[in-house]
């Protein structure tokens, strides 16, 4: 006898597996990868690190303080299944946009590849703002913008740091009212360091001649895909926490 699951049962199953993976201890491969990545980063010229750091700093300020990343009003009249169908389509569109942008800048060599970092950051954050709105959250609220930055950290941090972020994100709606009203207190320094350290071999290879265009397109596509999945799981976690309290 085949028993079909409801949509909510299906996503709860996926969510529980994601939580399990998120809280697993770092594997030997994770530890080795982190060491290799840090070693690679030590060989990257300071001007590259400075450019990335500056781009991330400006992006964080724009998210917290500015109105650069505008989006539609939160959607309140759709089922979860319909919301996620819309979100998956949006993620696909952003993946294609990121791939196209990465291909163009990758083909332009070292200087153009440097320009890719702020452009890609902007695409990622705009996607997160759109996803939040479709899930029904108002990103004009500073606490929702802070949640978006936590999603970003969760997707692009080391295993150890991502677990710390994951714990902070649990029961977010209960903790949100306790957040400091001064948004200057956000630890953007750790945020930018974690993202900078995450930049992998694929993104660095984008700066190489001849292969940069293909590498840039694929790397951007995968990075946006990773962020989109992390965002969906993060909002599913909030949805699940709220429903548990109601029941």
């Amino acid at each position: 006898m085949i028993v079909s699951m409801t949509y909510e049962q299906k996503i709860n199953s996926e969510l529980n597996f994601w939580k399990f993976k998120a809280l697993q201890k770092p594997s030997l491969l994770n530890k080795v990868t982190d060491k290799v990545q840090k070693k690679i980063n030590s060989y990257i010229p300071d001007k590259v690190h400075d450019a990335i750091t500056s781009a991330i700093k400006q992006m964080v300020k724009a998210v917290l303080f500015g109105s650069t990343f505008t989006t539609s009003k939160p959607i309140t009249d759709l089922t979860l299944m319909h919301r996620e169908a819309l979100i998956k389509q949006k993620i696909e569109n952003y993946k294609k946009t990121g791939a196209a942008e990465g291909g163009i800048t990758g083909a332009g060599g070292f200087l153009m590849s440097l320009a890719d970092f702020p452009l890609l950051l902007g695409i990622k954050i705009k996607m997160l703002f759109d996803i939040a709105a479709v899930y029904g959250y108002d990103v004009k609220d500073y606490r929702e913008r802070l949640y978006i930055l936590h999603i970003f950290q969760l997707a692009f941090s080391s295993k150890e740091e991502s677990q710390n972020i994951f714990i902070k994100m649990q029961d977010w709606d209960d903790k949100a009212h306790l957040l400091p009203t001064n948004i200057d207190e956000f630890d953007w320094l750790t945020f930018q360091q974690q993202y900078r350290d995450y930049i992998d071999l694929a993104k660095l290879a984008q700066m190489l001649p001849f292969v940069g265009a293909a590498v840039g397109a694929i790397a951007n596509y995968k990075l946006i895909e990773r962020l989109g999945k992390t965002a969906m799981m993060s909002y599913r976690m909030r949805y699940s926490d709220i429903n548990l309290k109601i029941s």
Side-chain angles (χ1 to χ4, degrees):
M1 179 178 178
I2 299 176
V3 179
S4 60
M5 292 191 295
T6 66
Y7 188 76
E8 293 201 8
Q9 287 173 329
K10 176 179 177 294
I11 66 168
N12 279 333
S13 176
E14 293 174 359
L15 178 61
N16 288 333
F17 181 72
W18 178 74
K19 287 181 177 179
F20 170 75
K21 295 288 287 183
L23 293 173
Q24 275 186 324
K25 291 182 178 180
S27 65
L28 179 60
L29 178 60
N30 288 137
K31 293 176 180 178
V32 171
T33 301
D34 285 344
K35 288 182 179 179
V36 171
Q37 188 61 62
K38 288 177 181 177
K39 190 67 175 178
I40 292 171
N41 283 339
S42 69
Y43 295 131
I44 299 174
D46 287 341
K47 63 179 180 180
V48 177
H49 281 301
D50 290 343
I52 296 168
T53 298
S54 177
I56 296 170
K57 181 178 179 180
Q58 294 306 315
M59 184 272 290
V60 172
K61 286 185 175 181
V63 171
L64 291 177
F65 301 101
S67 57
T68 304
F69 300 99
T70 57
T71 189
S72 56
K73 293 181 179 180
I75 297 175
T76 58
D77 57 352
L78 288 180
T79 65
L80 181 62
M81 183 171 66
H82 286 110
R83 289 180 198 275
E84 295 206 334
L86 181 57
I87 286 166
K88 287 175 182 177
Q89 184 58 55
K90 284 182 176 291
I91 292 172
E92 285 300 315
N93 291 338
Y94 276 106
K95 283 159 60 176
K96 293 173 183 176
T97 300
E101 182 272 322
I104 292 170
T105 54
F110 180 77
L111 293 177
M112 283 289 286
S113 294
L114 280 181
D116 173 60
F117 290 112
L119 291 172
L120 181 60
L121 282 170
I123 292 170
K124 289 174 179 175
I125 293 298
K126 181 64 170 66
M127 180 181 73
L128 291 181
F129 271 52
D130 280 350
I131 290 174
V134 177
Y135 273 114
Y137 294 100
D138 187 357
V139 294
K140 291 180 181 178
D141 186 332
Y142 141 68
R143 291 166 294 189
E144 292 303 331
R145 293 186 175 213
L146 195 56
Y147 192 72
I148 283 173
L149 291 180
H150 278 66
I151 293 173
F152 202 100
Q153 284 181 294
L154 187 63
F156 301 121
S157 292
S158 65
K159 182 69 174 177
E160 183 177 354
E161 182 62 25
S162 67
Q163 288 181 340
N164 294 332
I165 299 300
F166 179 84
I167 292 170
K168 291 180 182 180
M169 293 172 70
Q170 290 181 307
D171 299 314
W172 180 266
D173 291 284
D174 286 341
K175 299 172 182 175
H177 70 283
L178 301 174
L179 292 171
T181 55
N182 183 3
I183 57 181
D184 286 318
E185 295 181 28
F186 177 73
D187 185 7
W188 67 267
L189 182 60
T190 298
F191 178 91
Q192 69 186 23
Q193 288 173 338
Q194 286 292 328
Y195 181 71
R196 183 192 66 197
D197 290 345
Y198 179 83
I199 293 170
D200 56 16
L201 288 170
K203 290 303 292 178
L204 297 178
Q206 182 179 334
M207 298 181 184
L208 298 176
F210 307 114
V211 300
V215 169
I218 295 170
N220 283 8
Y221 188 92
K222 290 296 185 181
L223 289 170
I224 292 173
E225 182 176 57
R226 177 188 180 95
L227 182 59
K229 180 180 179 180
T230 302
M232 288 188 69
M233 289 300 180
S234 298
Y235 284 110
R236 283 179 178 182
M237 182 164 64
R238 286 179 74 176
Y239 179 85
S240 176
D241 288 342
I242 292 171
N243 281 353
L244 282 175
K245 290 176 177 63
I246 293 175
S247 59

